Amino acid sequence: MATVRICVCGDEGVGKSSICVSLVKDTFVTNKIQSVLPQITIPPSLGAPDNVTTIVDTSALPQQREALKREIRKCNCILLVYSDHYERISLFWCPLFRSLGVNVPVVLCANKSDLAASGTTSQVIEEEMLPVMAEFKEIDSCIRTSAKTHSNINEVFFLCQKAVTHPIAPLYDSKELNLKPAAIAALQRVFYLCDKDHDGYLNDKEIQDFQLTCFDKPLAEADLENIKQNIRRASPDSATEKGIDVGGFLLLNKLFAEKGRHETIWIILRRFDYTDSLSLKDIHPKFVVPAFSSAELSQAGYRFLVSLFLLFDRDNDGGLNDTELAALFSATPGLPSSWVESAFPSSTVRNEAGYITLQGWLAQWSMTTFVEPKTTLEYLAYLGFESSECGLKVTKARRKRKRPGRVERNVILCYVLGASSSGKSSLLDAFLNRPFSHTYHPTIKPRTAVNSVELHGGKQCYLIVSQRLLPRDVRSPNPSAQMEELGELEPAILENQAKLDACDIILYTYDSSEPDSFSHIVDLRRRYPYLENVPAIFTGLKADKDKATQRSEIQPADYTTALNMPTPLHVSVTWNSISDFFVDIAEAATYPSNALPKSDDDPVDRTNLYIAVSATICAGAALGVILWRRATSPAV
């Protein structure tokens, strides 16, 4: 339970203690009261709901100055009281607050309004309060009170409570007379989530649903029409027969702020999980992926992303164009940074117009979840994912690759390693169904592609193919510049055991028509012995060209034979059967023991045999007991 701690400040004789006594006694006390009252505590039932309110009276005497400063630093709202000398506010009190470095709201209170010499309320506001509020932005609100007539006593403390529980400062810029950017962004997301059909308008049903969600009661037809009229007065096009657009929704909340009803805005924002700093609560929930496990989207997560795609594909062309993507991500900080770095949408499947398809959309999110699950969780929150199920799940740990059996994973990571010009980039293009280009374009940075693959038996999985750059992948006229640019990329991957453990399979590629291509693989595996612990496939690309004898200490087929591994596959991206090759990669990753080097000394895993024998013995013993009981039981 939060505490609202109000520090009552002001010059001597302005009525600070009288205001506090009038609040407690609910009447003016004519007897003389002590100069500084003890601390007053108001329970939630009498004050702000869910908040305990503590009121601390202070003295302005010089000998009490340190106690005053101490209480100012401890409070989260200051009630600054004056009666006649309002100049002291700007000359002493507000500079004092700033010198202490406190950043709390200040409620300005003009007391003793019952005195004839104090002037009318409009005069006090215009001549005294507004100039001070314009100079000191920390002043949240102002009010006139009278402890003698009990005028606005409850109201002044309500303003203090509201200044803490529903602060105006994060929402509204009184100098610019507009909502602040963070508040606009938060309210735009609220509009996005309430616009269920995403047509850009809140229709009457959506407004009623919004009303019930935030305030737990329906909106009367007359009140709804009154809201629309208020919006039309300022912006006629923002409230039409279609409903209220986002501009009208922001305008409505701006009117709430200007009329002092900013608690309404806070009720809305907090219902949609915003904190006092206008950041989303639980945007990064705890989600731990144990070693040798991976993160994947759950069925609920996939269903949500499919519904989003179909909802924003306005033209029903099977792809999200730039406008549709911008509308979809309007409630978020934009595309995830990893998507921008991977040159999205070129990293996944697109249609002929270059727009991401549903297949590519799901594949991209599958890759994001695998690589950085916290990003997926963050964006699911921004996009309004609500389900009793979690949007993500953790796969079963994959500990021993050499143990025979299937690895149950729906997302597979494959590193592609090979000499420059061996055809890696063309292979990734073929993986994404891109047409083959005879023009050679050297790869200057790592590239990743993701697509879905249908395994034997009809099960679908997502294959992430990541092309890793090695120092010899790029030829530069300046050798020293080349090593400076790419020299750190090789150890970053191949010397990082954690990254290799996360990899499901490595695809070693060489140009079968280039004599010097395979030697690069032999040298690579010799320099990095840990690569032998990662399942692998050896592939001779450009098989449509004449096969060349490799100028290597050992030929590819002999090399794999010595490792007791399958001989290299020979494929060409120009062949129609290239899609089957990606199925072979995924199948090899799901049965990792078949894609690892073997030796005659490797111990045989007899775990399954032991289990089967134990089960047979137990079953036989049980059967024997049953037969013995039947044989020994007396005949009826």
Side-chain angles (χ1 to χ4, degrees):
M1 184 177 292
T3 298
V4 177
R5 189 177 181 87
I6 304 170
C7 182
V8 185
C9 301
D11 294 330
E12 292 298 303
V14 297
K16 303 188 296 297
S17 300
S18 295
I19 288 177
C20 296
V21 171
S22 183
L23 174 72
V24 175
K25 299 291 187 180
D26 203 28
T27 185
F28 179 66
V29 177
T30 56
N31 297 332
K32 186 177 180 180
I33 57 178
Q34 59 193 91
S35 57
V36 178
L37 296 173
Q39 180 176 298
I40 301 170
T41 300
I42 303 175
S45 58
L46 300 177
D50 302 323
N51 295 103
V52 174
T53 302
T54 301
I55 302 172
V56 181
D57 192 15
T58 62
S59 171
L61 294 175
Q63 58 267 32
Q64 298 292 327
R65 191 59 47 84
E66 289 304 316
L68 171 66
K69 292 180 179 180
R70 188 164 56 250
E71 291 299 337
I72 290 173
R73 290 191 179 101
K74 289 167 61 177
C75 74
N76 49 21
C77 180
I78 296 172
L79 175 57
L80 180 55
V81 184
Y82 76 97
S83 58
D84 49 2
H85 300 293
Y86 72 90
E87 299 88 355
R88 288 270 297 169
I89 297 168
S90 56
L91 294 177
F92 175 76
W93 286 105
C94 285
L96 173 65
F97 302 151
R98 289 185 175 182
S99 69
L100 296 176
V102 294
N103 183 24
V104 297
V106 177
V107 174
L108 186 59
C109 172
N111 194 28
K112 302 184 180 181
S113 62
D114 55 291
L115 298 178
S118 63
T120 64
T121 299
S122 59
Q123 284 179 326
V124 172
I125 292 175
E126 185 174 350
E127 297 175 6
E128 300 176 6
M129 293 181 168
L130 291 182
V132 175
M133 292 181 71
E135 183 179 358
F136 298 97
K137 298 302 179 186
E138 56 266 42
I139 299 179
D140 181 88
S141 55
C142 58
I143 190 172
R144 293 190 79 197
T145 62
S146 172
K148 186 174 183 178
T149 62
H150 200 69
S151 172
N152 287 336
I153 296 301
N154 293 337
E155 287 78 2
V156 69
F157 287 101
F158 172 73
L159 285 178
C160 291
Q161 293 169 334
K162 192 170 72 168
V164 176
T165 59
H166 303 92
I168 186 64
L171 303 177
Y172 189 74
D173 189 330
S174 57
K175 184 177 181 181
E176 299 293 335
L177 301 178
N178 203 356
L179 295 171
K180 290 187 175 180
I184 291 175
L187 290 169
Q188 284 175 332
R189 176 178 172 270
V190 171
F191 181 92
Y192 170 97
L193 297 179
C194 295
D195 182 16
K196 298 298 184 181
D197 56 6
H198 292 286
D199 63 346
Y201 293 90
L202 292 182
N203 57 43
D204 288 357
K205 183 181 184 309
E206 290 168 339
I207 292 174
Q208 288 291 359
D209 291 342
F210 164 78
Q211 173 75 12
L212 288 171
T213 298
C214 296
F215 305 102
D216 297 322
K217 60 181 179 180
L219 193 64
E221 290 294 328
D223 293 335
L224 177 57
E225 186 58 33
N226 186 44
I227 289 172
K228 292 180 179 179
Q229 288 293 343
N230 288 333
I231 294 174
R232 289 192 191 104
R233 290 191 190 101
S235 179
D237 296 332
S238 292
T240 64
E241 294 180 357
K242 294 181 178 180
I244 300 173
D245 65 9
V246 65
F249 184 72
L250 293 175
L251 177 60
L252 178 63
N253 283 277
K254 178 186 173 185
L255 292 174
F256 287 151
E258 290 174 342
K259 293 179 180 180
R261 293 180 54 193
H262 42 279
E263 70 273 12
T264 303
I265 305 176
W266 277 115
I267 292 172
I268 294 170
L269 293 176
R270 285 169 180 160
R271 173 58 187 83
F272 286 87
D273 298 325
Y274 281 94
T275 65
D276 290 349
S277 61
L278 295 182
S279 61
L280 278 175
K281 283 191 297 186
D282 299 328
I283 194 69
H284 298 292
K286 186 177 181 181
F287 187 83
V288 179
V289 181
F292 305 104
S293 295
S294 63
E296 295 179 359
L297 285 163
S298 66
Q299 289 299 316
Y302 277 118
R303 285 195 300 269
F304 175 74
L305 292 172
V306 169
S307 65
L308 271 184
F309 183 95
L310 297 177
L311 195 59
F312 282 90
D313 183 17
R314 293 294 184 188
D315 50 14
N316 295 317
D317 64 345
L320 294 179
N321 58 40
D322 294 343
T323 302
E324 292 166 341
L325 267 179
L328 194 155
F329 281 101
S330 61
T332 73
L335 290 177
S337 57
S338 59
W339 291 28
V340 177
E341 292 167 4
S342 64
F344 172 84
S346 64
S347 56
T348 190
V349 184
R350 298 179 291 180
N351 60 18
E352 294 180 355
Y355 304 141
I356 185 172
T357 63
L358 177 59
Q359 178 183 350
W361 171 253
L362 297 179
Q364 184 73 24
W365 277 113
S366 297
M367 178 173 66
T368 304
T369 305
F370 183 91
V371 177
E372 42 187 27
K374 289 185 178 180
T375 297
T376 300
L377 287 171
E378 176 184 347
Y379 274 77
L380 286 177
Y382 278 123
L383 294 169
F385 174 77
E386 292 182 352
S387 174
S388 56
E389 303 176 50
C390 180
L392 273 62
K393 65 178 183 179
V394 177
T395 63
K396 185 178 179 181
R398 167 181 44 76
R399 295 187 179 277
K400 296 182 180 180
R401 298 184 195 258
K402 291 188 177 183
R403 176 177 294 176
R406 183 185 182 90
V407 174
E408 294 298 332
R409 289 195 174 186
N410 296 320
V411 182
I412 296 168
L413 175 61
C414 171
Y415 285 160
V416 181
L417 301 177
S420 61
S421 305
S422 62
K424 301 186 295 295
S425 296
S426 296
L427 186 67
L428 265 65
D429 287 336
F431 181 51
L432 298 176
N433 305 319
R434 310 274 164 79
F436 173 70
S437 173
H438 292 278
T439 305
Y440 175 66
H441 298 285
T443 304
I444 59 175
K445 64 178 182 178
R447 182 185 168 194
T448 301
V450 61
N451 197 355
S452 59
V453 174
E454 186 174 323
L455 302 176
H456 301 311
K459 180 181 179 180
Q460 179 177 278
C461 73
Y462 291 96
L463 179 61
I464 305 170
V465 181
S466 183
Q467 178 184 352
R468 312 315 303 177
L469 283 180
L470 304 177
R472 279 193 270 174
D473 277 344
V474 176
R475 298 185 178 92
S476 171
N478 184 344
S480 61
Q482 172 186 324
M483 294 307 294
E484 180 181 354
E485 180 183 5
L486 300 172
E488 294 182 358
L489 292 176
E490 184 180 54
I493 297 295
L494 303 184
E495 290 183 356
N496 190 324
Q497 184 174 335
K499 287 185 176 293
L500 290 177
D501 285 338
C503 174
D504 294 290
I505 194 164
I506 293 178
L507 178 64
Y508 295 101
T509 64
Y510 66 95
D511 182 353
S512 60
S513 65
E514 169 57 48
D516 296 319
S517 189
F518 186 75
S519 60
H520 177 79
I521 296 175
V522 177
D523 179 60
L524 191 68
R525 288 174 61 88
R526 182 185 295 118
R527 282 187 289 137
Y528 300 101
Y530 191 79
L531 290 175
E532 292 193 1
N533 298 317
V534 183
I537 288 182
F538 293 82
T539 306
L541 297 177
K542 304 183 183 180
D544 55 316
K545 298 182 178 181
D546 293 336
K547 183 178 179 181
T549 301
Q550 294 295 312
R551 283 196 284 265
S552 174
E553 58 192 68
I554 187 171
Q555 292 301 303
D558 297 333
Y559 183 81
T560 54
T561 300
L563 295 173
N564 285 328
M565 294 181 66
T567 56
L569 299 173
H570 289 271
V571 297
S572 171
V573 296
T574 62
W575 293 349
N576 293 331
S577 60
I578 186 64
S579 58
D580 297 334
F581 173 62
F582 300 112
V583 176
D584 294 336
I585 296 174
E587 289 283 359
T590 56
Y591 292 93
S593 63
N594 297 336
L596 285 167
K598 300 178 183 64
S599 66
D600 297 334
D601 299 329
D602 283 345
V604 179
D605 187 350
R606 292 189 172 90
T607 304
N608 293 334
L609 176 62
Y610 296 150
I611 294 173
V613 170
S614 300
T616 303
I617 292 173
C618 291
L623 180 61
V625 170
I626 292 173
L627 293 176
W628 176 78
R629 285 181 177 177
R630 286 184 178 179
T632 58
S633 60
V636 179

